[in-house]
């Protein structure tokens, strides 16, 4: 008597494979490094100090990123450190990020002393909540004992995207859960079938 070869549940295999592919796409999209944009220029109002701004060109909606600003003093420039010369003139740099619609921290003005032969670095963590194009500015002011004057305004634009309408965190959750379910379905469909075929081959050889 010839025994029929068991049929594999192709619908389950197709569903498991589809879940694995979709989960892999979601995880790859959510983990893909955000491209960074950079702008370098000089600050004419600050002895031509070098200014560099870095920000993400695009982010998945709901994912955090960083905006960084660095000011490097020109060679030979010696600003006054107020801690070393109490009562004398001092200088500080104020930076403020304005990016409407985007969650940013820290908020408000960040102030750092303009120290001799030392670069200043400012950074903000940002998170666009929904998809869209966001345009904002970084305001820089020079503060001393007598006045406060504007140094520069740097404009930045960030594009927040979704994957077929799915934001960052839902894509991660679906990627993890979908990957687990896909593996479970494929395992349940393939391994029992392979085991049954092995028994059938052994019986034929007998």
């Amino acid at each position: 008597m010839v025994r029929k070869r068991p049929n594999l549940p192709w619908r389950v295999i197709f569903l498991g494979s589809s879940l694995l592919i979709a989960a892999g796409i979601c995880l790859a999209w959510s983990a893909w490094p955000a491209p960074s944009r950079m702008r370098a220029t000089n600050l004419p109002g600050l002895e031509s100090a070098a200014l560099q701004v870095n920000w993400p060109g695009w982010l998945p909606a709901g994912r955090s990123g960083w905006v960084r600003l660095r000011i490097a003093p020109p060679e030979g420039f010696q600003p006054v450190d107020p801690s070393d010369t109490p009562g004398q003139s001092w200088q500080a740099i104020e930076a403020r990020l304005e990016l409407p619609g985007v969650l940013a921290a820290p908020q408000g003005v960040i102030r750092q002393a303009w120290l001799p032969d030392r670069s200043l670095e400012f950074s903000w963590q940002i998170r666009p909540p929904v998809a869209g194009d966001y345009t904002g500015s970084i305001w820089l002011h020079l503060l001393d004992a007598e006045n406060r004057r504007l140094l520069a305004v740097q404009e930045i634009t960030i594009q927040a995207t979704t994957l077929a309408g799915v934001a960052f965190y839902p894509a991660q959750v679906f990627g993890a859960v979908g990957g687990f379910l896909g593996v479970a379905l494929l395992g349940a469909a393939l391994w029992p079938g392979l085991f049954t075929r092995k028994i059938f081959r052994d019986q034929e050889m007998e």
Side-chain angles (χ1 to χ4, degrees):
M1 181 178 180
V2 179
R3 185 175 178 180
K4 293 183 179 180
R5 188 180 297 271
N7 294 324
L8 291 177
W10 294 110
R11 292 183 179 179
V12 178
I13 295 176
F14 175 78
L15 178 59
S17 302
S18 300
L19 281 174
L20 276 180
I21 294 173
I25 293 174
C26 287
L27 290 177
W29 174 77
S30 60
W32 195 266
S36 178
R37 293 185 179 179
M38 188 269 288
R39 182 186 301 127
T41 183
N42 292 330
L43 290 174
L46 196 62
E47 301 293 336
S48 296
L51 171 66
Q52 180 175 312
V53 184
N54 297 84
W55 72 96
W58 67 268
L59 281 173
R63 177 179 169 181
S64 297
W66 289 92
V67 176
R68 305 182 190 275
L69 183 144
R70 184 175 184 270
I71 302 175
E75 185 177 355
F77 178 59
Q78 294 290 333
V80 178
D81 185 351
S83 62
D84 295 337
T85 56
Q88 298 186 20
S89 61
W90 55 273
Q91 290 179 315
I93 302 294
E94 290 183 346
R96 184 178 79 254
L97 172 65
E98 292 183 355
L99 197 56
V102 175
L103 303 176
Q107 298 182 349
V109 175
I110 306 174
R111 179 184 299 175
Q112 294 189 32
W114 186 227
L115 301 177
D117 296 331
R118 189 177 301 176
S119 299
L120 299 185
E121 294 186 359
F122 301 88
S123 61
W124 297 266
Q125 188 177 29
I126 61 171
R127 182 165 61 87
V130 296
D133 294 332
Y134 299 90
T135 301
S137 302
I138 303 176
W139 295 75
L140 292 176
H141 289 84
L142 176 64
L143 186 68
D144 57 30
E146 298 180 354
N147 55 29
R148 177 176 179 266
R149 61 188 177 90
L150 180 66
L151 285 177
V153 179
Q154 294 293 313
E155 184 177 293
I156 61 174
T157 300
I158 299 172
Q159 182 183 22
T161 62
T162 60
L163 182 64
V166 181
F168 173 68
Y169 287 112
Q172 281 196 322
V173 173
F174 176 80
V177 176
F180 174 79
L181 291 177
V183 171
L185 288 174
L186 287 177
L190 292 177
W191 291 110
L194 292 175
F195 180 73
T196 303
R197 289 200 300 272
K198 184 179 183 301
I199 295 177
F200 179 68
R201 287 196 300 268
D202 293 341
Q203 290 178 351
E204 286 183 338
M205 291 178 61
E206 294 176 359

